[in-house]
Amino acid sequence: LYNSPLRQLEIKASRGYQISKIQLPLDGGLAADAIRLKQAINIPNTQNIAGCLDLTGGASRSQLYVPLVHEERVLGMLILESTDEAAYTESDQAFMLQLATQAAVAVDNLRRFEAESRRAGELESVLEIARAVLGTLDVEALLPLVARRARRLMGADTVGFAVTDGAVNSPAALIVPATSPAGPPER
């Protein structure tokens, strides 16, 4: 998948590679060109072209770069490599473009679903806290609930509250660490 702020590809799946890296920086080259142009690039002979991203340890002789484009945004890249020269035909490229279009829609749908799920969790937490506030006037009983929810939503290890009785310099601190009886932060 393409991480545009970091300008790198994050490998999520591969077949036939002995890949040790899962992040590939795009400092130019053909993969960066395919992303910038939002078009497939078919290289019949990698030995004569600079900028090929060779993940085969030198065995690659032809490559096909196919960006996953959805709503004018590049979400990822399919990279095919072969030890044969001119391994990918125009027909292969057209097929991979169709596959990339479907993959881009699937990636976008998954990202939207994850965002909506996070939002639903946030709203559920707000509702639970609101119910608890309406059900008690005991602040010390309420704060651990708020702390658990804050840890879950924010991924924090520890949440702290400083509560005062209204007098200056008289805070009563309540710290809720991840190892408290409330348990580890829910994720």
Side-chain angles (χ1 to χ4, degrees):
L1 295 178
Y2 180 53
N3 184 327
S4 63
L6 297 178
R7 295 217 15 93
Q8 68 183 13
L9 292 173
E10 297 173 356
I11 297 175
K12 299 296 184 179
S14 67
R15 292 273 189 248
Y17 290 112
Q18 300 298 322
I19 297 176
S20 60
K21 293 191 251 179
I22 59 167
Q23 297 172 334
L24 303 171
L26 294 176
D27 301 325
L30 296 172
D33 289 346
I35 287 172
R36 181 178 48 79
L37 297 170
K38 300 177 185 167
Q39 295 179 353
I41 297 178
N42 190 343
I43 307 300
N45 185 345
T46 60
Q47 304 305 298
N48 300 330
I49 305 288
C52 291
L53 180 64
D54 185 357
L55 301 176
T56 66
S60 178
R61 294 294 176 260
S62 60
Q63 296 179 345
L64 179 59
Y65 299 87
V66 184
L68 280 62
V69 181
H70 184 68
E71 296 176 350
E72 294 300 312
R73 292 176 302 134
V74 177
L75 304 178
M77 171 89 62
L78 295 173
I79 303 172
L80 286 77
E81 295 187 76
S82 176
T83 56
D84 298 330
E85 287 187 17
Y88 306 108
T89 65
E90 285 185 30
S91 178
D92 295 330
Q93 183 174 321
F95 174 73
M96 292 308 297
L97 282 167
Q98 290 176 354
L99 185 63
T101 298
Q102 295 304 312
V105 169
V107 167
D108 185 64
N109 285 342
L110 179 62
R111 287 180 175 171
R112 288 176 194 251
F113 176 77
E114 288 172 344
E116 290 300 317
S117 294
R118 268 192 311 276
R119 182 71 180 136
E122 291 168 359
L123 292 174
E124 178 185 330
S125 293
V126 169
L127 181 60
E128 182 180 356
I129 291 167
R131 284 184 185 139
V133 167
L134 292 173
T136 184
L137 296 175
D138 182 1
V139 173
E140 288 186 23
L142 183 62
L143 290 180
L145 168 67
V146 175
R148 282 193 306 275
R149 286 301 183 164
R151 282 199 327 243
R152 184 179 135 233
L153 291 171
M154 304 307 292
D157 293 326
T158 304
V159 174
F161 292 99
V163 181
T164 68
D165 61 7
V168 179
N169 297 326
S170 65
L174 172 63
I175 305 295
V176 184
T179 57
S180 73
E186 301 168 20
R187 297 200 189 245

